[in-house]
Amino acid sequence: MISKPNSDEYPPYAAGYVNAVPEGADVLQLLADNQAFTYNLFHNMSEEQAMHAYADGKWTLKEVLGHMIDTERVFSFRAFVFSREDISLPGFDQETYVNSTDFNSRTIQSLAEEFRAVRQSTLYLYRSFSAEQLGHSGVASGALVKVAALVYITAGHEIYHLNIIKDRYL
């Protein structure tokens, strides 16, 4: 089981994500369990529901899922790279990424399938890390982050967005 990281093992912006993971949770099992939940949530939406945005200028549910996919790819890439070398990687501007594609032109089922595939890949990667690799770190967006913390950040980011969806979209 991967231990919850200390606050000095990830950037301050990630504290909300790390703290969203329940105390004592098996974070890898949580990622696996949430894979099915998130997939089913989006896969069972109608196209009309998936095009809903809770306010002007806010993302549609398709864009939220696309953002979740992009972000998981970024976090897992960082974990992959940092597990192998101590390096600095550039930042990730979520608005640029969402605005540089057209998630709304895709079906929600296609996006749900992509989410499931990305999560499966993430799980294979995260489960492959040795204890030593989980302790490695690198710099992303100008801040030090440990590989183990990225596992928690990935899980917490999903929880964060699921909570927003529940509170503002559904």
Side-chain angles (χ1 to χ4, degrees):
M1 193 158 98
I2 301 171
S3 298
K4 193 167 194 170
N6 296 320
S7 62
D8 63 346
E9 297 176 337
Y10 54 84
Y13 83 83
Y17 300 148
V18 171
N19 293 329
V21 176
E23 280 301 321
D26 178 338
V27 70
L28 293 174
Q29 188 60 52
L30 180 64
L31 283 164
D33 292 344
N34 281 349
Q35 176 187 19
F37 177 83
T38 300
Y39 170 79
N40 288 325
L41 173 69
F42 285 99
H43 189 265
N44 293 322
M45 282 182 188
S46 69
E47 286 299 310
E48 183 180 344
Q49 289 170 317
M51 288 299 293
H52 173 67
Y54 69 87
D56 285 341
K58 295 299 181 182
W59 293 340
T60 66
L61 283 164
K62 285 183 180 184
E63 290 170 325
V64 171
L65 181 55
H67 162 72
M68 290 169 66
I69 293 166
D70 282 351
T71 303
E72 185 151 331
R73 281 187 170 120
V74 169
F75 291 159
S76 64
F77 175 74
R78 288 174 177 175
F80 167 71
V81 172
F82 297 160
S83 76
R84 269 97 168 145
E85 66 178 314
D86 182 5
I87 192 170
S88 182
L89 295 174
F92 159 65
D93 182 331
Q94 65 184 15
E95 294 296 332
T96 298
Y97 276 60
V98 170
N99 293 332
S100 295
T101 191
D102 188 6
F103 293 121
N104 290 330
S105 69
R106 295 180 53 193
T107 68
I108 192 62
Q109 287 73 29
S110 168
L111 287 163
E113 292 292 339
E114 184 177 355
F115 169 81
R116 185 166 59 178
V118 168
R119 174 57 54 84
Q120 195 61 45
S121 176
T122 298
L123 285 166
Y124 276 112
L125 176 66
Y126 288 177
R127 288 175 177 149
S128 77
F129 291 145
S130 67
E132 180 182 343
Q133 288 173 311
L134 287 166
H136 289 185
S137 61
V139 174
S141 301
L144 183 76
V145 63
K146 281 198 172 182
V147 172
L150 284 161
V151 176
Y152 272 78
I153 293 166
T154 303
H157 182 261
E158 180 181 17
I159 293 167
Y160 170 81
H161 281 289
L162 290 173
N163 286 336
I164 288 176
I165 290 166
K166 183 181 83 174
D167 293 343
R168 299 182 188 165
Y169 286 87
L170 302 180

